Amino acid sequence: MAQKRDKRASREFQAEPTPVAPITLAEHIPEAEVALVLLMGGHSGRSFTIKDEALIGRSPQADILLTDPEVSRCHARVWRTLSRQYIVEDLGSRNGTFVGKTPVKKRILSIGDKIQLGSHTILALTNQWPAEHRLTEQRKLEGMGRMAAGVAHEFNTMFAVIRTSVDHAVSRSSGDPISPSELRDCLGDMDIALGRAESFTRKLMGFAQRVKLEPALVNMREVIGDVVRIVRGIGHEIHVEARVDQRLTVMGDRPQLQLVLQNLVNNAIDAMPGGGRLTISGTVLAEGTEELPGPAVVVSVTDTGSGMDAKTTARIFEPFFTADPAGKGPGLGMAFSHGIIKGHGGTIEVFSKEGRGTTVRALLPLMQLSHEQATADTRRAVPKIEIEQEPEGGE
């Protein structure tokens, strides 16, 4: 009887199993968000989540607000269909919308597609997982903490110089009068500290891309010539070579671009305390790169100094990171240069090897000139400087 009951119970169990809801891993993982990430133009790296629809342009009503003058006020829109497809549509912009260098009016997008607006702005369609987004935000907060500490340290150093000079002058006022030479020393120290504070503030503003650019046609050949002339006039034990094409015209703010180049040259000189060779070149890259499609002006600074290891090179653009000895500088130069070049719609990259030197390359969009502009540009020589000429278009 017991065996019959066991068999009957077994049959009933098999015939009427208890319903169990299937458990899948997907139920425990939040759905990825689709976003457009700004790869080039303005504040590169910004991410815009796409819910149902996003208007892209320079209009204040745009969901993705851009500042590139080549972008129309209502340039394009990206929206999600009921079947969860993402579509980009050009809204009659004056400079066009491109996907993979192909002009489009309306097109279905795939993850990884790059949308180019005009010639200086590129957005990429990406998946963003919530956990990844939280990790990114955490790293941003950590970076802000390091930046705040660096800013506080730098300004405290400047304030200490001013405070010491003021205290000295005040202490002397109650006794013997301060001599003119002492007063000049105090005022000189304060002037140096204030000048350093002004320079530091400009770099901070440039890094944050809060400096108002005044774009105009800039001949980078002339900019290179000015910097080379300054370097040769200082009298370092460094041999300076300049290899420059003729037509290196970009749209940008000349003082900012010259400041970037001067910063790169200063870094190269610091890397060669015992002397060496400094090469500054300006060439045209006809095909451009994946990040900067189309013709580009390439400005390179190469030194024969000590070079950097891979770990240092990977952090070179981090704010307040420096490989220089303590007190040499705040470590904002390369971050500043990166921000300015990005703000001009360009890219900057570093190649270095320990014991072999370093090369920094900045790429900027080449401006196509009219025949009259090109003729005037060719006639305008770089004054009072010898430049080794390379064939036009070479690198």
Side-chain angles (χ1 to χ4, degrees), residues 172-191:
R172 292 300 302 274
S173 64
S174 58
D176 296 332
I178 186 169
S179 67
S181 62
E182 285 182 298
L183 182 59
R184 281 195 301 270
D185 289 342
C186 290
L187 293 176
D189 289 344
M190 287 190 286
D191 184 60

Side-chain angles (χ1 to χ4, degrees), residues 160 162-173:
I162 297 173
R163 171 55 63 189
T164 300
S165 298
V166 171
D167 288 346
H168 178 71
V170 170
S171 66
R172 292 300 302 274
S173 64

